Amino acid sequence: MQTAPAARRPCQMMLHVLVVLRGLAWPRHALAPRDGAQKASAPHSKGTKRDDLEVDLPATPQSSYAALAPRISAMMSQLTLPSFRTMLSSPVSLVRDATSFFDVTHPSSVSGGATIFSSAVNMANTILGTGLLAIPRCISFAGLIPGVVLIIFSAMVTIVTNVFISDAAEVVGGTASFRRLSDAAMDRLSILINSAIVVTAIGIGISYFIIASNGFFYALPAVFGITAPPRWCFVVAVAIITTPLSLLRSLDSLRVTSLFAVLILMAITGLVLAYALPSPDTGPFVACPSDGTASANSCPPGRVFAYTGFDGAMNAMPTLAMAFSCQISTPTLWNEIERPTRSRMLAVYAIALGVAMCMYILVGGFGYATFGDRVLPNVLSSYPLTRAISLARIGLSFVVIFSFPIQALALRNATVSILDSVCARDSASALATQRTATSAARPGRWDVGESGVALTRVISSRRSWQESPRNALSAPAATAAGFLAKEAALFETAAPQAIPTLAFILMAAGVTLTTSDLGIIVDISGSLGASIITFVAPSIIYWCIFPFHTMGRIVAASIFIFGILVIVWGLTQIAMDKSESD
């Protein structure tokens, strides 16, 4: 027996681990083959490689998923891994990829669709936003150790709920949307979920306008030594900048602004770390200087607690739910990414949430350690009015401007879905017919029928996205919807989509002109809407669409109960704070 080359052994070991984890994650029910399901094609001639490697999961309760390990190892022995030299991109390909990424008139991938990096950057921008600067205050509620643990826990839960959504999108088929997934799970559920998306997007959008306008209004004079024009001028300027960005047709077109937003937030993270490090009293990075520029609300610093208690941990959860809320973009990312598969979507989630989690831990931990329990809700407000902090506030204004179009895209899709759900006729019967046709037409899916459930995974090694059986139905649907088609218009000009977007911008600008306080509406939208989108909605969708996944349903039920607890706790705290202030 020949031994596998050394370069192939790590991959085989990883596959063994994945098979074991797969056995723990997926239920071991009796899996019966679908009616009419066909096996792989005729044997191949010696020296040739198959384009598709089809793996059927065991069909009896006695069969163990771990038994797939030898079969997958045998498959891997037939594959040739690229050499190290071929893995390195040539300068020409690097220039081509960079040009494709920064050319927003075309998809980020040269072969069409969005790349993993582009999707991860857009998701990271959706997650971070202004939530990064609220994490130190969030940790002050729970204490340093529980705060860091809750950040890691929230990141893990967010990955799971995003997997719930993408798995459901893979099963339901077609162009993914919360309306399609929700109606497949439960009749009229989409109205509730899309309403939560609209409420959350409105609250976040208004806060973005207020933060951007106030940032320019207060920081520009400090940086350039000029007299600031009236505040309404900055509100109008923010509206002018966000309007064309919000009318872009696809999320992938926002990849460049999302990249700039993430880089600015990384620079702000470095600034927070610089102020946390020990420095001379006369140095440039002193959090509480003695020259009169220190913040009276945060200096001298308060106490740093290792932990505070259960109440403090629960008080931190609504903020973390808002900080990690990114599920509004998951169906769009699934539609746009090139060759959407579970592994590619997991890569997007791991990159985006990994970056966000690390930045949250750094900014939250060091920001809290710097000011203790006297840290303000926006950690930048706790620092002295220096040129560096003023530049950071200007950068934060651009961050929220670049993040606003993502909320506008989610609100636009949710508004159109609500109107369609309310006005549609016989939607339930049409959806049932469509699901039946989808189950019969698409291989490589969970199909629920009289004989039970069967899963066939097709691993495509050479076929393009359009030719893969895995996308036999979804590719035409995405093309018909105009997702990332090179000939599609760059901006959304259709009235049903453009009107909600423009109304959203006018609403945010109008509220910003009348007030500079975020108010209770933003608190309610964060505690209620963000918790529904982050915890409740993905759990319900997964529970209803995957009735045979015992372990997955247990996890979904646990997340659902936790989400309801966070909603009740957050609304109760808002009511108590309101009564105390009155």
Side-chain angles (χ1 to χ4, degrees):
M1 180 181 296
Q2 296 181 353
T3 305
R8 197 180 298 134
R9 289 174 186 168
C11 294
Q12 293 182 356
M13 294 177 62
M14 287 294 296
L15 282 171
H16 280 282
V17 174
L18 290 175
V19 166
V20 174
L21 293 176
R22 186 71 169 177
L24 296 175
W26 294 98
R28 302 186 180 186
H29 295 293
L31 300 181
R34 294 168 301 174
D35 297 336
Q38 297 181 357
K39 298 295 182 180
S41 57
H44 296 260
S45 60
K46 183 177 180 180
T48 61
K49 295 182 176 63
R50 292 173 53 182
D51 286 341
D52 294 299
L53 301 176
E54 188 174 45
V55 181
D56 293 334
L57 295 183
T60 62
Q62 294 77 17
S63 300
S64 173
Y65 280 74
L68 286 176
R71 297 175 59 186
I72 295 182
S73 298
M75 293 181 213
M76 285 300 302
S77 64
Q78 301 175 7
L79 300 177
T80 302
L81 296 179
S83 63
F84 180 75
R85 177 176 297 181
T86 58
M87 294 174 64
L88 296 177
S89 301
S90 64
V92 176
S93 63
L94 288 176
V95 173
R96 180 192 61 188
D97 294 341
T99 303
S100 177
F101 180 86
F102 288 100
D103 183 10
V104 297
T105 61
H106 295 83
S108 54
S109 174
V110 294
S111 57
T115 62
I116 292 179
F117 177 72
S118 171
S119 301
V121 166
N122 282 319
M123 174 166 275
N125 187 24
T126 307
I127 298 169
L128 292 167
T130 58
L132 178 67
L133 304 179
I135 297 299
R137 182 64 174 175
C138 176
I139 291 182
S140 71
F141 294 148
L144 186 60
I145 296 177
V148 173
V149 172
L150 287 176
I151 291 174
I152 299 174
F153 169 77
S154 300
M156 297 299 102
V157 171
T158 304
I159 290 179
V160 172
T161 53
N162 275 292
V163 170
F164 285 171
I165 297 174
S166 56
D167 280 359
E170 183 179 8
V171 170
V172 174
T175 302
S177 65
F178 272 108
R179 181 196 174 190
R180 188 182 186 90
L181 302 181
S182 303
D183 287 343
M186 185 183 301
D187 291 341
R188 300 299 180 181
L189 177 63
S190 62
I191 296 180
L192 172 63
I193 296 178
N194 283 309
S195 298
I197 294 175
V198 171
V199 171
T200 305
I202 290 176
I204 295 176
I206 292 174
S207 67
Y208 282 175
F209 254 73
I210 293 176
I211 292 172
S213 302
N214 291 347
F216 288 134
F217 180 72
Y218 293 109
L220 285 177
V223 173
F224 299 103
I226 59 175
T227 302
R231 183 172 173 271
W232 65 265
C233 295
F234 295 105
V235 176
V236 173
V238 171
I240 292 174
I241 297 174
T242 56
T243 297
L245 294 176
S246 301
L247 289 174
L248 286 173
R249 193 164 189 173
S250 68
L251 185 61
D252 189 54
S253 300
L254 296 170
R255 58 187 181 268
V256 176
T257 54
S258 293
L259 178 61
F260 287 154
V262 173
L263 292 177
I264 292 172
L265 290 174
M266 287 183 176
I268 293 177
T269 301
L271 186 62
V272 171
L273 297 181
Y275 272 100
L277 297 176
S279 61
D281 294 338
T282 58
F285 300 109
V286 180
C288 293
S290 57
D291 57 0
T293 60
S295 172
N297 296 321
S298 299
C299 294
R303 296 178 59 189
V304 176
F305 296 93
Y307 61 91
T308 59
F310 178 78
D311 291 352
M314 289 304 302
N315 290 335
M317 282 311 303
T319 302
L320 288 176
M322 191 91 167
F324 279 99
S325 180
C326 60
Q327 289 79 357
I328 59 174
S329 301
T330 304
T332 305
L333 292 174
W334 172 268
N335 292 328
E336 296 183 358
I337 192 171
E338 183 185 16
R339 293 180 286 112
T341 62
R342 199 169 197 258
S343 60
R344 290 174 65 82
M345 294 301 294
L346 276 173
V348 172
Y349 304 150
I351 295 172
L353 286 160
V355 171
M357 182 183 69
C358 293
M359 294 175 66
Y360 281 169
I361 292 175
L362 291 174
V363 173
F366 284 98
Y368 176 57
T370 302
F371 298 103
D373 56 0
R374 298 193 67 183
V375 65
L376 297 178
N378 184 345
V379 68
L380 290 182
S381 301
S382 297
Y383 291 101
L385 296 176
T386 62
R387 189 181 185 89
I389 294 298
S390 298
L391 287 174
R393 289 181 176 178
I394 294 176
L396 181 63
S397 298
F398 282 106
V399 167
V400 297
I401 288 175
F402 295 154
S403 301
F404 183 90
I406 298 178
Q407 303 298 324
L409 177 62
L411 181 138
R412 178 170 69 222
N413 294 335
T415 303
V416 173
S417 295
I418 292 174
L419 295 176
D420 289 344
S421 298
V422 172
C423 300
R425 296 179 179 179
D426 300 328
S427 58
S429 60
L431 179 61
T433 304
Q434 186 178 33
R435 290 180 62 186
T436 303
T438 301
S439 299
R442 300 184 74 179
R445 294 291 185 272
W446 284 99
D447 295 328
V448 181
E450 296 178 357
S451 59
V453 183
L455 176 64
T456 301
R457 291 291 182 187
V458 178
I459 306 173
S460 179
S461 60
R462 298 194 179 193
R463 293 188 178 182
S464 65
W465 176 56
Q466 291 83 1
E467 297 172 344
S468 173
R470 186 210 158 296
N471 296 285
L473 186 63
S474 61
T479 303
F483 281 111
L484 300 187
K486 291 187 176 182
E487 62 275 11
L490 180 62
F491 295 99
E492 188 64 77
T493 57
Q497 286 76 29
I499 291 177
T501 305
L502 297 177
F504 179 39
I505 296 173
L506 291 176
M507 177 190 300
V511 173
T512 306
L513 287 173
T514 57
T515 182
S516 60
D517 185 12
L518 301 182
I520 192 174
I521 296 179
V522 177
D523 295 334
I524 294 177
S525 66
S527 298
L528 181 61
S531 298
I532 290 177
I533 299 169
T534 304
F535 303 121
V536 177
S539 302
I540 295 177
I541 291 173
Y542 189 88
W543 175 277
C544 296
I545 294 182
F546 295 90
F548 296 93
H549 293 188
T550 304
M551 182 60 66
R553 283 163 66 88
I554 293 175
V555 174
S558 303
I559 295 176
F560 174 82
I561 295 173
F562 180 74
I564 296 297
L565 179 61
V566 171
I567 291 174
V568 174
W569 190 280
L571 294 179
T572 302
Q573 291 298 317
I574 292 174
M576 294 175 59
D577 294 342
K578 181 65 175 177
S579 61
E580 291 177 359
S581 62
D582 293 340

